[in-house]
Amino acid sequence: MNDPGIICYQHCQKNEKVFSFKLPDICNFCSAELSNTELRIPPFRIPYPFRDATKEPNSIVIKPTHGDFLNNYRNSSDLHIGVTDSLGFVYEYDVNGAVKSKNQAWFQCLPIKVIDRMNSSLKQYWDEILYSVFIQNSWAADRYDSEEHNCYSFVLTFLKSLHLQELHPFLENKTIFCQEFVSPQARVAAKYICLFRQLKDQNIVVQ
């Protein structure tokens, strides 16, 4: 699913923001026609946190192991993690071993830019190190273990292999990495998912 287009606006309630998929004709609070009245907060679109991984080069990418974020994800759901190269190919490791693809399963992912700015030489370096890790025997299917040798192991091995000083403090283990890079993005996504699901059941959400 692409961006469903959640908008936020405020008309007559000073402390209440209204969320919906479209601006209604009539205010839900005072029944004024919204097309002919000034809004306290003009309608604006809530940023959509999910992206197509193939269009997020040189990123760490995360998606639910099964299904997608908007419709299937729960707090207890497992997350799958991979890495994109400069051309948008996703490198990942699971029960099938290490795989490089532009799989449509990654159409709705959370991208994480662990390096804010990349010049052309760093992009090339990223690709070279990624490929060198990808072809290691460590990532054979028969060596996969859901707890000890999994997709996070692959991503952390790659990031460590970059030997970038600014990343080093966050790569000691999965927990530290997730606290620094994954959890902040996941919290934003969780708020969006909750709002989206509420709006599927009702016309507006007031907060």
Side-chain angles (χ1 to χ4, degrees):
M1 176 182 289
N2 295 322
D3 183 351
I6 298 175
I7 63 169
C8 174
Y9 63 94
Q10 186 184 84
H11 177 235
C12 58
Q13 299 292 321
K14 291 184 179 180
N15 298 316
E16 303 287 354
K17 293 184 177 65
V18 182
F19 299 85
S20 64
F21 288 126
K22 65 178 182 178
L23 186 68
D25 296 327
I26 304 295
C27 175
N28 298 88
F29 299 106
C30 68
S31 299
E33 291 188 13
L34 295 183
S35 60
N36 297 317
T37 186
E38 184 176 352
L39 299 176
R40 291 179 181 272
I41 298 178
F44 65 92
R45 179 170 287 197
I46 301 300
Y48 183 63
F50 308 113
R51 301 287 185 271
D52 181 343
T54 64
K55 298 177 182 177
E56 294 294 326
N58 302 109
S59 300
I60 305 301
V61 288
I62 299 171
K63 72 177 187 68
T65 301
H66 304 289
D68 62 48
F69 275 111
L70 286 182
N71 298 294
N72 310 110
Y73 180 71
R74 298 291 182 271
N75 288 337
S76 59
S77 299
D78 290 332
L79 291 173
H80 185 49
I81 190 167
V83 185
T84 61
D85 66 11
S86 62
L87 298 176
F89 283 94
V90 180
Y91 292 68
E92 57 185 306
Y93 179 58
D94 59 16
V95 293
N96 299 308
V99 176
K100 170 190 173 184
S101 71
K102 286 195 173 183
N103 194 321
Q104 285 301 306
W106 289 93
F107 79 105
Q108 191 188 96
C109 78
L110 279 175
I112 299 173
K113 297 290 186 183
V114 294
I115 303 173
D116 290 335
R117 296 183 183 88
M118 278 197 180
N119 57 37
S120 57
S121 61
L122 187 52
K123 289 179 181 180
Q124 182 180 354
Y125 175 66
W126 174 289
D127 287 358
E128 290 172 353
I129 298 301
L130 179 56
Y131 184 73
S132 69
V133 171
F134 174 72
I135 62 175
Q136 293 173 3
N137 293 331
S138 305
W139 315 114
D142 59 4
R143 299 192 64 177
Y144 180 84
D145 181 276
S146 61
E147 297 296 329
E148 300 296 331
H149 193 68
N150 53 29
C151 57
Y152 278 92
S153 307
F154 174 77
V155 171
L156 288 177
T157 297
F158 160 66
L159 292 175
K160 289 176 182 178
S161 299
L162 289 172
H163 298 297
L164 297 176
Q165 187 175 358
E166 63 265 38
L167 292 180
H168 181 73
F170 311 115
L171 304 180
E172 184 175 340
N173 55 52
K174 173 185 173 182
T175 300
I176 295 174
F177 175 77
C178 287
Q179 287 173 345
E180 178 66 21
F181 292 109
V182 179
S183 295
Q185 298 278 39
R187 285 193 290 270
V188 172
K191 290 179 181 178
Y192 192 95
I193 292 167
C194 180
L195 189 56
F196 170 78
R197 291 177 182 172
Q198 287 180 287
L199 287 172
K200 284 180 67 176
D201 297 327
Q202 56 200 66
N203 290 329
I204 66 167
V205 170
V206 180
Q207 294 182 357

